[in-house]
Amino acid sequence: MARLRPRRREVVRRQQLLQIRGHSVTWLVPLLTLVGIAAADYNTSGEFRVVSWCVFVAAIAAALCGVWTTALFAVLALVTFVAGDAAWPDQYRAGPADFVLVLIGGVLSVLAAALRVRGEGRLLHIRHIADTTRRTVLRPLPPVWGGLDHAAVYLSADADARVGGDFYDIQPGPHGTRVLLGDVQGKGLGAVEAAAALLSTFREAAYHEADLRTVADRLETRMRRHREHTVALGRDDGDRFATAVLLDFPAGTEGVVDLVRFGHDAPLAVGPAGVRVLPHGDGLPLGLAALDPRAPPEVRRTALAPEETLLLCTDGVTEARDRSGTFYALAENLAAGVARVPRTADPDRLVAFVRDGTLRHCRGRLADDTTIFAVRRARPDTPRDEDPVRGHLPS
């Protein structure tokens, strides 16, 4: 397998901490520092010399700039030191010792910049792998898929992880369009593996099976088989489970939606008339059906107005807390938002509203990975020429 290497342009972009009109100006920081040192040395007395502080210039450049830029500032700092020191009488000169200090400091700064840039390249490579894994599990969806208009946003509790156990997908088929959203218990690659297993089963079963209860049964079986496989490998995630919501927009039947709930919060129907919780059963999470084999998944059908959008969220939203420990009041905030601006019920506006409200409430400190997914039957005037990854808003 060919080794993936981050493009040089991508590595440079990570160094653009300061920009003016899209152009990096990080070099201004060490340049202004060098000019300030030279000016201070020129305007101070001979007993107080600051020209030796030129050693800091290359160190600052190493923290902000690339290798060649750092090398350039190391040379400029050395030249500035020599020129500034030579301008003073012999009794006030810093001398060879400070010259060696600035020289060695410049060399070490260049080496430090090289190590930093190399580390950034490795980090970028790791993030590329994480993003590829995320796109594999959460495949990009067309803007209107299976007759459904949708939007989604994923927020990772760990900014560096970029991938977790939340999952969702839309699968059109001859029997209707099915939607699945869920959250695998736990974190790490084990949770990602379980999510991928459930999604692969969903994509096949949702297409071929006419009965939504059969799709639910196959998801339960897949979760159980996945746990048996991981235990056989000697791993300790034999008790892993997943909460989920399974929806069905039946073909040829407008104005209704079928719902199966696996221990997950019920979807909210959001429309100009307000916010309501969809009727739901009390199904067990996927992987735990053996605890009560007498309670098969229950399919609930409910009416859905054409202007209503279904909102599905993982517990990163419902468990978001502020400083006082108060949970985010999702339904109440949604009702107020829709009352002010009825178009908030549109899928893309809806997920953005919930995302922003959640982050404000917890001050950006998410306790868990968060997925916000909104879906409704597409209207005839729904634009179909948008970007094909519209369903994944930037996080």
Side-chain angles (χ1 to χ4, degrees):
M1 179 181 294
R3 181 181 178 185
L4 295 175
R5 294 186 178 182
R7 295 177 296 177
R8 185 172 181 268
R9 182 179 299 273
E10 291 176 328
V11 176
V12 172
R13 282 176 181 170
R14 297 196 67 251
Q15 301 166 358
Q16 294 179 356
L17 303 179
L18 298 175
Q19 296 188 34
I20 296 179
R21 295 183 179 179
H23 298 284
S24 175
V25 292
T26 51
W27 50 270
L28 276 177
V29 178
L31 179 61
L32 292 176
T33 303
L34 182 60
V35 172
I37 291 173
D41 184 72
Y42 179 79
N43 290 284
T44 54
S45 62
E47 289 79 8
F48 185 74
R49 300 293 309 285
V50 297
V51 71
S52 299
W53 293 4
C54 287
V55 69
F56 296 126
V57 173
I60 294 172
L64 300 175
C65 306
V67 177
W68 290 108
T69 304
T70 302
L72 174 61
F73 276 108
V75 172
L76 288 176
L78 192 63
V79 171
T80 301
F81 173 83
V82 172
D85 200 40
W88 288 87
D90 291 342
Q91 65 269 29
Y92 296 123
R93 292 181 181 178
D98 286 1
F99 173 83
V100 173
L101 174 66
V102 176
L103 175 64
I104 295 178
V107 172
L108 294 178
S109 297
V110 173
L111 294 176
L115 291 175
R116 194 197 93 247
V117 171
R118 184 178 180 183
E120 288 177 347
R122 289 179 177 176
L123 179 60
L124 192 64
H125 177 60
I126 293 172
R127 289 191 171 186
H128 176 73
I129 294 175
D131 288 339
T132 302
T133 302
R134 179 178 168 187
R135 287 193 300 269
T136 302
V137 177
L138 302 179
R139 61 180 181 177
L141 298 173
V144 177
W145 186 231
L148 301 181
D149 185 18
H150 61 89
V153 62
Y154 172 81
L155 302 172
S156 176
D158 183 352
D160 294 326
R162 304 172 73 87
V163 65
D166 290 3
F167 58 92
Y168 60 89
D169 201 4
I170 300 175
Q171 181 58 59
H175 310 290
T177 301
R178 276 71 184 264
V179 177
L180 178 67
L181 177 138
D183 181 8
V184 176
Q185 172 266 335
K187 298 183 181 296
L189 290 178
V192 176
E193 289 176 355
L198 290 172
L199 283 174
S200 62
T201 298
F202 166 74
R203 289 161 186 163
E204 291 301 312
Y207 181 87
H208 291 288
E209 302 295 343
D211 188 358
L212 191 64
R213 184 175 285 105
T214 304
V215 179
D217 290 338
R218 290 189 59 177
L219 289 171
E220 170 64 30
T221 302
R222 186 67 182 93
M223 189 67 199
R224 186 174 64 252
R225 289 175 52 210
H226 177 75
R227 294 194 316 189
E228 292 171 353
H229 177 258
T230 56
V231 170
L233 292 175
R235 288 163 45 178
D236 59 355
D237 52 355
D239 58 349
R240 193 181 297 277
F241 61 87
T243 62
V245 175
L246 178 62
L247 300 177
D248 180 21
F249 294 84
T253 306
E254 299 289 337
V256 298
V257 63
D258 295 330
L259 165 68
V260 179
R261 188 175 73 104
F262 303 96
H264 200 281
D265 292 333
L268 299 177
V270 184
V275 179
R276 62 187 178 92
V277 181
L278 261 61
H280 57 83
D282 296 322
L284 294 172
L286 293 169
L288 301 182
L291 298 178
D292 189 4
R294 298 170 300 175
E298 183 180 3
V299 179
R300 293 288 187 94
R301 172 166 289 191
T302 184
L304 193 64
E307 65 274 9
E308 284 186 314
T309 300
L310 295 184
L311 176 68
L312 301 90
C313 302
T314 57
D315 53 12
V317 174
T318 55
E319 295 182 2
R321 301 178 184 231
D322 60 12
R323 288 183 174 179
S324 64
T326 304
F327 289 109
Y328 178 58
L330 175 60
E332 291 81 354
N333 282 276
L334 274 177
V338 172
R340 290 192 302 268
V341 183
R343 286 198 63 190
T344 302
D346 294 346
D348 52 349
R349 293 172 178 262
L350 185 57
V351 296
F353 180 88
V354 176
R355 175 196 60 193
D356 296 343
T358 302
L359 292 176
R360 281 195 303 267
H361 185 77
C362 67
R363 306 180 71 86
R365 299 175 182 176
L366 294 170
D368 198 0
D369 294 341
T370 301
T371 297
I372 307 164
F373 188 79
V375 61
R376 71 179 177 191
R377 288 191 184 271
R379 300 175 180 178
D381 59 346
T382 300
R384 298 171 182 263
D385 56 350
E386 301 177 32
D387 187 89
V389 294
R390 171 183 174 274
H392 305 272
L393 295 181
S395 58

